[in-house]
Every structure is written in structure tokens, then in C-alpha cells.
Amino acid sequence: MSKIVLDICFDGRNFNGTQSQKEGNAVQDVLSSALKSVFNLDSKITMCSRLDAGVSAHSFFLSFSGSEVLAKKAKYALNRFLPLQIRVKSTYLAPDSFNPRFDEIEKTYVYRIRFNEYNPIFDAFNYAEKWADPNKYMEAVKLIKDAKDISLFCSLEKNSLPPKGINNIEVIKENDLVSTFITSKAFGRYEVRYIVGAGLMVGRGKISKEELLDIVNGKQKNHIRYKAPSSGLSLLEVKYPPNLLMPC
């Protein structure tokens, strides 16, 4: 048996996140069912990240054990069986020790906000926001890169893995669409959504830029309480060490 790695993309709007659920409508559940139906394979699937319900992915890595022959057939065979909302992009072989979560170098999320009224055509993968000032939002989000304690922008849940700090935040505005790209080695629970939520709070005038700066600089230990909706969030890219994954 070999360690097989898939790079997939998916439209997360109708899935209950990526991690297996009792209801059976998570990305992991759908892929497990596909492996069983197509290859009669019962193998534990390990994923690169735990994404919330409604979050999509341009690139998402997962691994399982199987034969090299299966690996070569996996992309074509699974794409014929899987729903159109999930596509296998690439297939790799990896060392038995490979873990798609813990072997990451870094990953990048993008949160897209269209500062306008909701439009079902334009906003399938955006969050529509008509109340906040986009310029104040952009200025606020950029400040958070230098936060002394990034855990103030994460969930308060127990047993959540600690964040590793932010490598980069880039904000790009095209007309009324603002895309926020956030890169880190490891993200805390809901981290991107709380960072975006903090920017929206400043943009809406709920807190001042100065209040946010006090949190960023460690002068206040108040957790950001507003979590932006999942609808605008996508996992964009996951990076691994060079030569770790061998394309099939």
C-alpha cells in the first residue's frame, strides 16, 4: 500500500464542512463514499484542514492508503463518480509518514466582500456588505498583520490548536469587490473570519481604528467578537516542502 494524496477543489455552499458529520454531508463523507463505491476501498482519509460549513476551496489536500495502480486511476475514476461540486485536480504519491495537515509549509485563504447589496449572480462566493466603508475596512484589516497576540482574533473554544502568527495580509480592491488574502503556517479556529469581522466592525463604525490598534498592540486583551459569515471564505493555496509529493 502507498500513501495517495489528492488535490481537490470544491464548492462548499451545500456541504456541512469538510470533517465527517453524522448527517453524512461533509466533503470527507462524500469522498469516503466515492472511494468505497469506485474502488471498494475502506481507508481513513486525512485532510489538510477543517473547514466550516459553507467554505469553499480552490485547493485542498487529503491523503489515504491505496495501491499505486489506484493512484494512477483516481483522478479520472473519482471525477466520473463525484458530484460536480467536488473535482479532483491532481494525484500524488507521498512517503508513508506524510500528513497533509502537519507537513504544510503555509496556506492562504481569501475572503471576498462585495460592498454592495446582495446579488445572487455576482455573490455566489462573496459576502455582500452594504453598510461598511470599504476603505476603513481595508485599512483596519492590514493593521492586524502585526498583532502581538493573534489568538485575540481566534475562537475561544477549548482544545483549539494555537495559531502561528500571520505571514502576510494583502487586500486588493477591484471596483466594489475587496479580496483579503491571509497567509500563515497554521491558523487558529475561525481566525480568518474573526480578522475580517474586526475589519467590518471598524468599517461599520462599531469600533474605532484606535480601539483596534489597542488590541493589535496588546494594550487591550479583548477578543474580537464578530465572526464574518462563511460565505465569502475560500481556501486558496496549500504549500508543502519541495519534492515531498510525486505527481502520478
Side-chain angles (χ1 to χ4, degrees):
M1 301 288 279
S2 301
K3 182 65 69 71
I4 300 171
V5 182
L6 302 183
D7 179 13
I8 67 172
C9 59
F10 58 84
D11 172 354
R13 290 176 296 172
N14 294 318
F15 293 113
N16 293 332
T18 52
Q19 187 169 335
S20 183
Q21 303 289 326
K22 290 182 179 179
E23 298 83 0
N25 190 40
V27 172
Q28 185 176 11
D29 297 317
V30 176
L31 284 160
S32 294
S33 177
L35 288 172
K36 177 64 175 177
S37 298
V38 176
F39 298 113
N40 194 30
L41 182 68
D42 286 309
S43 182
K44 178 184 177 182
I45 294 176
T46 304
M47 302 180 296
C48 69
S49 185
R50 177 184 172 187
L51 302 186
D52 306 321
V55 178
S56 298
H58 297 260
S59 181
F60 185 94
F61 285 80
L62 57 96
S63 67
F64 55 91
S65 296
S67 68
E68 291 189 25
V69 173
L70 186 155
K72 293 177 181 178
K73 297 178 179 179
K75 177 179 177 179
Y76 175 76
L78 290 173
N79 279 342
R80 291 192 66 186
F81 183 86
L82 287 166
L84 291 176
Q85 290 83 5
I86 303 176
R87 295 288 89 184
V88 178
K89 296 166 57 182
S90 302
T91 310
Y92 303 90
L93 293 173
D96 289 339
S97 61
F98 174 76
N99 185 298
R101 184 177 185 185
F102 297 117
D103 286 331
E104 296 170 345
I105 296 175
E106 66 177 24
K107 56 190 172 188
T108 299
Y109 286 90
V110 58
Y111 197 101
R112 296 182 176 92
I113 305 174
R114 199 173 65 86
F115 285 87
N116 213 322
E117 294 187 356
Y118 175 78
N119 183 305
I121 303 299
F122 295 147
D123 296 322
F125 299 98
N126 304 326
Y127 170 60
E129 166 66 45
K130 65 177 182 178
W131 306 112
D133 181 323
N135 293 317
K136 289 182 178 179
Y137 164 83
M138 293 170 67
E139 185 179 9
V141 166
K142 291 176 183 177
L143 296 174
I144 299 172
K145 179 181 182 296
D146 298 318
K148 302 291 185 183
D149 184 1
I150 198 62
S151 67
L152 296 175
F153 298 89
C154 299
S155 171
L156 294 172
E157 295 176 6
K158 292 182 179 179
N159 302 322
S160 294
L161 291 175
K164 298 292 186 181
I166 296 172
N167 294 355
N168 190 47
I169 294 180
E170 182 180 8
V171 186
I172 298 176
K173 187 174 186 293
E174 300 175 271
N175 299 319
D176 60 356
L177 179 65
V178 175
S179 300
T180 304
F181 301 86
I182 304 178
T183 301
S184 176
K185 170 66 173 70
F187 287 88
R189 185 76 168 137
Y190 302 127
E191 182 176 340
V192 175
R193 293 171 64 185
Y194 276 116
I195 289 172
V196 171
L200 287 171
M201 288 177 70
V202 173
R204 293 170 182 169
K206 299 294 185 181
I207 63 172
S208 68
K209 174 185 170 182
E210 289 69 30
E211 288 177 290
L212 179 61
L213 270 173
D214 282 345
I215 298 173
V216 168
N217 293 327
K219 295 180 180 179
Q220 287 191 35
K221 291 296 182 180
N222 297 328
H223 278 80
I224 291 297
R225 299 294 182 181
Y226 177 62
K227 180 172 61 179
S230 63
S231 56
L233 181 60
S234 295
L235 178 58
L236 183 64
E237 183 181 33
V238 183
K239 290 184 178 180
Y240 294 100
N243 304 317
L244 180 62
L245 303 179
M246 183 175 67
C248 290

